[in-house]
Amino acid sequence: DLKSRFAEAGIGLSIPDGQDAVAPEELLQAMRLTLDYSTSTGHPLFFNQLYGGPEPAGIAGEWLAVAANTNCHTFEVAPVFTLVETEVLAKLARLIGGPYSQDHDGLFVPGGSIANIYGMHLARNRADPAFKQRGAQGGPRLVAFTSEQAHYSYRKAVALTGLGTDNLISVACDADGAMSPASLQEAIKAAEQEGKTPFFVGATAGTTVTGAFDPLEPLSKICREHNVWLHVDGAWGGAALLSRKLRHLMAGCERADSMCWNPHKLLGMPLQCSVFLTQHADILRRTNAGGAAYLFQPDKLHAEYDLGDKTIQCGRRPDAFKLWLAWKAYGDAGFERWVDRADELAQACEIRIKESGGALQLVQRRAPFNVCFWWVPAQLRPYTPEQATPAAKDLLSKVAPAIKELMQQKGDAMIGFQPLGSAPNFFRIVFAGAKLLQDCDLDALLQRINAYGQQLFPAQQ
Amino acid sequence: DLKSRFAEAGIGLSIPDGQDAVAPEELLQAMRLTLDYSTSTGHPLFFNQLYGGPEPAGIAGEWLAVAANTNCHTFEVAPVFTLVETEVLAKLARLIGGPYSQDHDGLFVPGGSIANIYGMHLARNRADPAFKQRGAQGGPRLVAFTSEQAHYSYRKAVALTGLGTDNLISVACDADGAMSPASLQEAIKAAEQEGKTPFFVGATAGTTVTGAFDPLEPLSKICREHNVWLHVDGAWGGAALLSRKLRHLMAGCERADSMCWNPHKLLGMPLQCSVFLTQHADILRRTNAGGAAYLFQPDKLHAEYDLGDKTIQCGRRPDAFKLWLAWKAYGDAGFERWVDRADELAQACEIRIKESGGALQLVQRRAPFNVCFWWVPAQLRPYTPEQATPAAKDLLSKVAPAIKELMQQKGDAMIGFQPLGSAPNFFRIVFAGAKLLQDCDLDALLQRINAYGQQLFPAQQ
Ligand SMILES: Cc1ncc(COP(=O)(O)O)c(C=O)c1O
Ligand SMILES: Cc1ncc(COP(=O)(O)O)c(C=O)c1O
C-alpha cells in the first residue's frame, strides 16, 4: 500500500513526534512518489470527473499567484490581482449580456458549491431584509426550489444556512433531466397555498450527471411572476456561453439574478476557479459586509478598490489570475474551440454507442458534454429499461463498477459511474479535459470497455 | 496607473470582445509586470498582514499540487493527498493533546473564516439535532458569544447561517484584549434568564489586532458548566502549539470542542492553508453529508477513505500537502524556531519602543507576535491616553496613515494601522513572515518611522 511505499523510500507519510528535517533529495523523492501515485487527471482518458488535466497557461498563472502569495481582500496588497479579477468579471458579464452588461457584481469563490451558497444567501437577504440582523427565526417561512437532478451542494447550502432540508423543494425533471417549468409553477403555487414564501429557484445549466440544461427562459418568467430569485448553477455548463454554437443552451441566463460557473471544469483551469456573478450592483457588499476596521480602513490609499468585504471569507486567493492569463493565451476563439470540441466528442461517442449493436446503450439522450451509457451483458440484450426484471437490473448494476475497477487497475482509463432514479449503475463520460482527444482514442476506449465487459460478464450459453 | 502600464506593454488588463490569443513572449511580459506591480509580501519589512513571503518547501508543495490538479473529495482521484491530509490532521491532533490524541475529526478548509463557520455549524447541530432538516425556524432561540476583539468572521458566520447578528453576544475583554471569563459567565447567565439557549463560545487564541490569547482553561470550564460548545479561533496564535516556550498560551485548547489554525499565517505556507479540527469523531460527516450518489458510490474501490462528504464544499484543494512537505523539510524543530523567533522579534521591538523616549509608545502590553504602538508627534509627548484631549487624539489618528503612505510610496516597508476602541489609529507590527529579520533591521525600521514622523509632523516651536 501507499504507506509502505513512502516508508520504503525513507519518507514516511506520517509526521512522527519530533519529526526531523529531511534532506532536499529525500523531499524531491517524496514529491516524485506523490506524483507517481497520484491519479493522472491529465490522462486523456480520465473521464471520471468534471475536470481534467490543467492547461499550461492556467498552471503558469497559478504558480505565479502562489509565489506572489497575496490575498484579494485589499487593493493595497493585491493591486494587479484586484484589477484582473474586476476585468475578468466584466468580461463574463458581457458574455452573459442583457442587464449584466450594464450592471453586475461578482467574486471568485472557492468552488461552485460555495457560489451556490452565495446565490441563496443573497436571495434570502432580498426576500427578508431583516435576516442578517434578526436571523431566520421570526422571519417569513421561506422555501427554495431546485430540480431533482440539481447538484447536492444546494442540499448542503440549506443545511448550512439554517433554511433546513425540509424547505428545499425538489422539482420534477423531464426525460433528459431538465427541470420542468410546469412542475415548478405547480410547486411554487402549492407552497404559496401552504402559507410559505418561495424566495429562490436554483436552476442548473449542465447537470452533474446527465448534463441537462434547465430551460432558463420559461423558468425566469415564472420566477419574475412570483418575485422569486433565480440562480443558475452553470458550474459545468456555463462554458456553453463561450460557443456561438452552444450558447443558445444558456438563453435566459441573462435574466437570472445570479449565476455561477467553474472554469476549473470544462476550461481546464487548475482547481479552484469558480465565479459567482449577479446582475444586482453592489449587493455583495451590502449583504456580506463585516466592516473590519483593521482591514478596510477608509483612510488608507485606494480603499475604494477593496473587494474583501463582499465575501463571506477574509483571505481569498487570486483565482481570477490564471483565467485571465489563459484568456490572453488562447483568446476567445481558443476557448470556443475547446467547448465545441467537447460537444463534438460527445457526439462522436453517441454515434459509436448507437452503432454498437446493443453492447453499449445510451441511458438517455446525450447532452453536449455528458454521455451516459451502459455496457450490456449479452444475455440482457436488447436492454429495454421499462421491461427489465429486477434480476436484470441487479446484474446490470454490477457491470460498471467491475469494468471501472479493471480499467483502474490496468491504468487504462477512468470513467465514473452511478445509479440514477430507476436506472442501475451506468457509465458517465464527461468531456472536461479531453480537448486533444482524437476520435480513434474514443474507438479504442469503447472497444476496451467491450472487451472487459465480455471478460467479466461472459455470455452464458 | 496600472491599466496604462499594462496597455503600454501590449497586454491590456481588460479582455476585449474577440480577445486574440497573444504570443508567449507577451504572456511572459504580462507575468513580469504582474510581479513587478504586485505588493512584495515576501519583503522582510512587510508587516501589513498576518502572512508574508511563503516558504520554499511550501511553494514547492503547492506547485506540485497545482500541476497534479486533483481534488480531495474522493480517495480514488487523490490517494496520496487524502492520506497526507489525514496524517497532518493526526499530527496536529497529537500536538493539541488531551482528548484529541484519542479521537478527532478535521479538514483543511478555504480559510480561517470558513473554519469558524464550521465550528459554529457543528455546535448548532449538536444543540439542535433537528436543525439540518427543519432549519432554524421552530428551534430553540440560540445565542453565540465571542469577545469584542474576536475576528469579524464570526459576524459573517452568524449572518450567513441564519443566526443573525442580534444573536451574537459580544463579551468584554481585559486590558490586553483577552476575553474576560467573568464577563462571559455573566453574559451566559443573562441570556439564559431571557429564555435564550447559549450554544457556542467562539474564543480567540491570538486576536487579529492585539494578538491576545483568551484564557482557554477558565473559558472551557464555563462552557462545560453550561453545556456550550467551545471553539478556539487559533487562526493566528495556534502556531504557539509548536513552541515549548509558548504553548502554555494555548493551555485548555485540548478541552475545546473545535479549533482552527492557519498555517498560511505564521508558518509561511502559501495561501490558503487552514485547518479545522474537532475532538468529536465522525461529526463532520454526520453533520454535513449530502450523500451524492455520483461521487460517493459505496461500490467503488476505497470509498471508505473519501473525505468529501465531510465538507460544505464539493471540490476541495489539497491544501494539506504543502504543510506536509514543509514539515518534512524543516522538522518540528524548524517550525519551533520560527515561532520562537517571532516572539523574540516582538520582544526586541517592545524594548526599542520603551527606550525611544516617548517618540514611540506601546498601545498596550505587547503580545507574542503583535506589537501595537504609536509614533507620537513631539508636541503630544508624553502621550497619556487617559488624559488626551480630542484634539490630541485627532492629530494622533492622522499620524499612522500618513507615515504608512510615505513608506508605501518609498517602498520601504508596509505596516498596518487601525483604531481600536478609544485608541486612535496605531501601527500594528505582526511577525508573520519575518523569520530572517535581524534586530538591526528593526532598528532601521523604527528609525525610519521616526524620521518620517518628524518630517510629516514637525515639532511646533
Ligand atoms: C452542477 C454542479 N454544480 C456545482 C458543483 C460544485 O462545484 P465545486 O466542486 O467547485 O464546489 C458541481 C461539481 O461537480 C456541479 O457539477
Ligand atoms: C484571529 C483570526 N481569525 C480568523 C481569520 C480569518 O482567516 P482567513 O483570512 O483565512 O479567513 C483571521 C485573519 O486574519 C484572524 O486573524
Side-chain angles (χ1 to χ4, degrees):
Chain A
D1 68 349
L2 281 176
K3 285 203 180 186
S4 44
R5 300 284 164 80
F6 275 76
E8 282 157 24
I11 297 255
L13 272 177
S14 70
I15 307 172
D17 296 346
Q19 167 78 51
D20 284 325
V22 307
E25 307 77 55
E26 290 174 87
L27 286 182
L28 284 174
Q29 174 64 359
M31 292 173 77
R32 220 171 280 124
L33 285 177
T34 300
L35 285 175
D36 284 351
Y37 292 115
S38 282
T39 304
S40 305
T41 60
H43 189 291
L45 299 181
F46 176 83
F47 296 112
N48 204 67
Q49 243 71 38
L50 301 175
Y51 58 86
E55 294 304 321
I59 298 182
E62 184 78 334
W63 281 5
L64 182 152
V66 167
N69 199 43
T70 189
N71 191 316
C72 289
H73 49 23
T74 61
F75 181 85
E76 64 170 6
V77 297
V80 183
F81 297 130
T82 298
L83 292 183
V84 157
E85 178 158 359
T86 309
E87 291 294 348
V88 177
L89 292 171
K91 170 78 172 183
L92 294 172
R94 285 199 308 279
L95 266 175
I96 298 171
Y100 283 79
S101 17
Q102 302 300 317
D103 259 335
H104 65 270
D105 199 0
L107 277 175
F108 279 73
V109 301
S113 301
I114 289 183
N116 288 343
I117 294 177
Y118 269 92
M120 192 179 286
H121 186 53
L122 295 184
R124 189 93 159 271
N125 279 275
R126 188 183 67 168
D128 178 12
F131 178 76
K132 184 175 183 174
Q133 191 183 332
R134 184 219 322 111
Q137 288 191 1
R141 257 206 79 188
L142 300 174
V143 282
F145 301 80
T146 57
S147 89
E148 39 184 36
Q149 302 265 343
H151 190 253
Y152 74 116
S153 50
Y154 284 126
R155 271 200 316 279
K156 297 210 176 202
V158 294
L160 180 70
T161 59
L163 191 69
T165 52
D166 277 350
N167 298 309
L168 178 64
I169 295 173
S170 184
V171 179
C173 287
D174 66 17
D176 291 331
M179 191 192 284
S180 146
S183 303
L184 175 66
Q185 181 75 270
E186 259 172 55
I188 289 180
K189 285 195 177 145
E192 285 172 344
Q193 272 158 18
E194 292 170 33
K196 297 172 187 164
T197 307
F199 79 107
F200 176 84
V201 169
T204 311
T207 59
T208 310
V209 176
T210 71
F213 285 74
D214 290 354
L216 302 179
E217 296 269 18
L219 297 183
S220 73
K221 214 165 143 266
I222 297 169
C223 288
R224 220 155 334 118
E225 277 164 25
H226 295 271
N227 193 26
V228 166
W229 183 289
L230 177 62
H231 173 74
V232 176
D233 173 356
W236 174 226
L241 284 169
L242 299 162
S243 155
R244 279 163 295 182
K245 196 174 128 208
L246 297 172
R247 62 171 289 139
H248 67 91
L249 295 164
M250 297 291 289
C253 168
E254 70 285 0
R255 304 203 180 155
D257 293 286
S258 59
M259 70 160 290
C260 78
W261 173 43
N262 278 2
H264 72 236
K265 296 196 194 288
L266 210 137
L267 233 48
M269 293 302 106
L271 273 134
Q272 280 172 324
C273 189
S274 295
V275 190
F276 174 80
L277 266 172
T278 164
Q279 58 163 284
H280 305 290
D282 203 39
I283 193 175
L284 282 164
R285 199 183 316 266
R286 277 185 284 123
T287 308
N288 292 328
Y294 82 94
L295 205 51
F296 307 113
Q297 309 91 338
D299 43 2
K300 70 169 182 226
L301 285 176
H302 309 304
E304 68 279 15
Y305 294 116
D306 292 352
L307 301 180
D309 222 12
K310 293 185 179 195
T311 82
I312 58 167
Q313 302 183 267
C314 170
R316 198 168 52 95
R317 307 176 79 250
D319 285 334
F321 185 71
K322 51 195 159 193
L323 181 60
W324 180 82
L325 198 68
W327 217 315
K328 295 286 177 188
Y330 308 112
D332 283 11
F335 281 179
E336 179 172 38
R337 219 157 36 236
W338 295 353
V339 176
D340 286 345
R341 181 65 188 147
D343 178 49
E344 284 163 24
L345 283 164
Q347 190 183 15
C349 198
E350 173 192 18
I351 293 173
R352 282 158 179 74
I353 290 169
K354 287 188 171 160
E355 291 173 350
S356 72
L360 300 168
Q361 182 167 330
L362 286 174
V363 176
Q364 60 186 100
R365 218 152 54 119
R366 70 107 185 160
F369 316 124
N370 300 40
V371 186
C372 297
F373 65 99
W374 290 289
W375 182 85
V376 183
Q379 64 270 37
L380 299 184
R381 296 180 205 163
Y383 183 73
T384 319
E386 303 75 37
Q387 292 163 16
T389 63
K393 288 193 171 190
D394 192 52
L395 174 59
L396 196 55
S397 75
K398 298 194 167 72
V399 171
I403 295 178
K404 172 173 176 164
E405 186 172 332
L406 193 53
M407 286 197 297
Q408 256 177 289
Q409 279 159 359
K410 302 217 178 196
D412 290 323
M414 201 161 166
I415 313 181
F417 68 81
Q418 66 279 299
L420 182 68
S422 64
N425 278 327
F426 54 85
F427 283 117
R428 175 194 64 157
I429 289 199
V430 276
F431 292 93
K435 301 165 197 92
L436 299 179
L437 209 68
Q438 301 299 313
D439 289 11
C440 62
D441 298 319
L442 270 187
D443 287 327
L445 173 70
L446 296 174
Q447 276 159 19
R448 216 165 312 143
I449 289 179
N450 199 35
Y452 291 167
Q454 285 171 355
Q455 172 191 334
L456 293 162
F457 300 90
Q460 277 152 7
Q461 310 303 339
Chain B
D1 66 352
L2 281 177
K3 286 203 181 188
S4 45
R5 301 285 164 80
F6 274 76
E8 283 158 23
I11 297 255
L13 272 177
S14 70
I15 308 174
D17 296 346
Q19 167 78 51
D20 285 325
V22 308
E25 307 76 56
E26 290 174 85
L27 287 182
L28 284 174
Q29 174 64 358
M31 293 173 76
R32 219 170 282 124
L33 284 177
T34 300
L35 285 175
D36 283 354
Y37 292 115
S38 283
T39 305
S40 305
T41 59
H43 189 291
L45 299 182
F46 176 84
F47 296 111
N48 203 68
Q49 244 69 39
L50 301 174
Y51 57 87
E55 295 303 323
I59 298 182
E62 185 78 332
W63 281 5
L64 182 151
V66 167
N69 199 43
T70 190
N71 191 318
C72 289
H73 48 25
T74 60
F75 181 85
E76 64 169 6
V77 297
V80 182
F81 297 131
T82 299
L83 292 182
V84 157
E85 178 158 358
T86 310
E87 291 294 349
V88 176
L89 292 170
K91 171 77 173 185
L92 294 172
R94 287 200 307 280
L95 265 175
I96 297 171
Y100 283 79
S101 16
Q102 302 300 317
D103 259 336
H104 66 271
D105 199 0
L107 277 175
F108 279 73
V109 300
S113 301
I114 290 183
N116 287 344
I117 294 177
Y118 269 91
M120 191 178 285
H121 186 53
L122 295 184
R124 189 93 160 270
N125 279 275
R126 187 181 70 169
D128 177 11
F131 178 76
K132 184 176 183 174
Q133 191 183 332
R134 185 219 322 111
Q137 288 191 0
R141 258 207 78 189
L142 300 174
V143 283
F145 301 81
T146 57
S147 91
E148 39 184 37
Q149 303 265 343
H151 191 253
Y152 74 115
S153 50
Y154 284 126
R155 267 197 322 277
K156 297 210 177 204
V158 294
L160 180 70
T161 60
L163 192 69
T165 52
D166 277 350
N167 298 308
L168 179 64
I169 295 173
S170 184
V171 180
C173 287
D174 67 17
D176 291 331
M179 191 192 282
S180 145
S183 302
L184 175 66
Q185 181 75 271
E186 259 172 55
I188 289 180
K189 285 195 177 144
E192 286 173 343
Q193 272 157 17
E194 292 171 32
K196 297 173 188 165
T197 308
F199 80 106
F200 177 84
V201 169
T204 310
T207 59
T208 310
V209 176
T210 71
F213 284 74
D214 290 354
L216 303 178
E217 296 269 17
L219 297 183
S220 72
K221 215 165 141 264
I222 297 170
C223 287
R224 223 157 329 116
E225 278 164 25
H226 295 271
N227 192 26
V228 165
W229 183 288
L230 177 62
H231 173 75
V232 176
D233 174 356
W236 174 227
L241 283 168
L242 299 161
S243 154
R244 279 163 294 182
K245 196 174 129 207
L246 296 173
R247 62 171 288 138
H248 67 92
L249 295 164
M250 298 291 290
C253 168
E254 71 284 1
R255 302 200 181 157
D257 293 285
S258 58
M259 72 160 289
C260 78
W261 173 44
N262 278 3
H264 73 234
K265 297 195 192 289
L266 210 137
L267 233 48
M269 293 302 106
L271 273 135
Q272 279 170 327
C273 190
S274 296
V275 190
F276 175 80
L277 267 172
T278 164
Q279 58 163 284
H280 304 290
D282 203 38
I283 192 175
L284 281 165
R285 199 183 317 264
R286 277 186 284 122
T287 308
N288 292 328
Y294 82 94
L295 205 51
F296 307 113
Q297 309 90 339
D299 42 2
K300 69 170 184 227
L301 285 175
H302 309 304
E304 68 279 16
Y305 295 116
D306 292 351
L307 301 180
D309 223 13
K310 292 186 181 194
T311 81
I312 59 167
Q313 302 182 268
C314 170
R316 199 167 51 94
R317 307 175 79 251
D319 286 334
F321 185 70
K322 52 195 159 194
L323 181 59
W324 179 83
L325 198 69
W327 217 314
K328 295 287 176 186
Y330 309 111
D332 283 12
F335 280 180
E336 179 172 37
R337 218 157 37 237
W338 293 353
V339 176
D340 286 346
R341 181 66 188 147
D343 177 50
E344 285 164 25
L345 283 163
Q347 189 184 15
C349 198
E350 173 191 19
I351 291 171
R352 281 158 181 73
I353 291 170
K354 286 189 171 159
E355 290 173 351
S356 72
L360 299 169
Q361 181 167 330
L362 287 173
V363 176
Q364 59 186 101
R365 217 151 55 118
R366 71 107 186 160
F369 315 124
N370 300 40
V371 186
C372 296
F373 65 98
W374 290 288
W375 182 84
V376 183
Q379 64 269 39
L380 299 184
R381 298 179 205 160
Y383 183 74
T384 320
E386 304 75 36
Q387 293 161 18
T389 63
K393 288 194 170 188
D394 191 53
L395 174 59
L396 196 55
S397 76
K398 298 195 168 70
V399 171
I403 296 178
K404 173 173 176 165
E405 187 173 331
L406 192 54
M407 286 197 296
Q408 256 176 288
Q409 278 158 0
K410 304 217 177 196
D412 290 325
M414 199 161 167
I415 313 180
F417 68 82
Q418 67 278 299
L420 182 68
S422 63
N425 278 327
F426 54 85
F427 283 118
R428 174 194 65 156
I429 288 198
V430 276
F431 292 93
K435 302 162 194 96
L436 299 179
L437 208 67
Q438 301 298 313
D439 289 11
C440 61
D441 298 319
L442 270 187
D443 286 328
L445 173 70
L446 296 174
Q447 276 160 19
R448 215 163 313 143
I449 289 179
N450 199 34
Y452 291 166
Q454 285 170 356
Q455 173 190 333
L456 292 163
F457 301 90
Q460 278 151 6
Q461 309 304 339

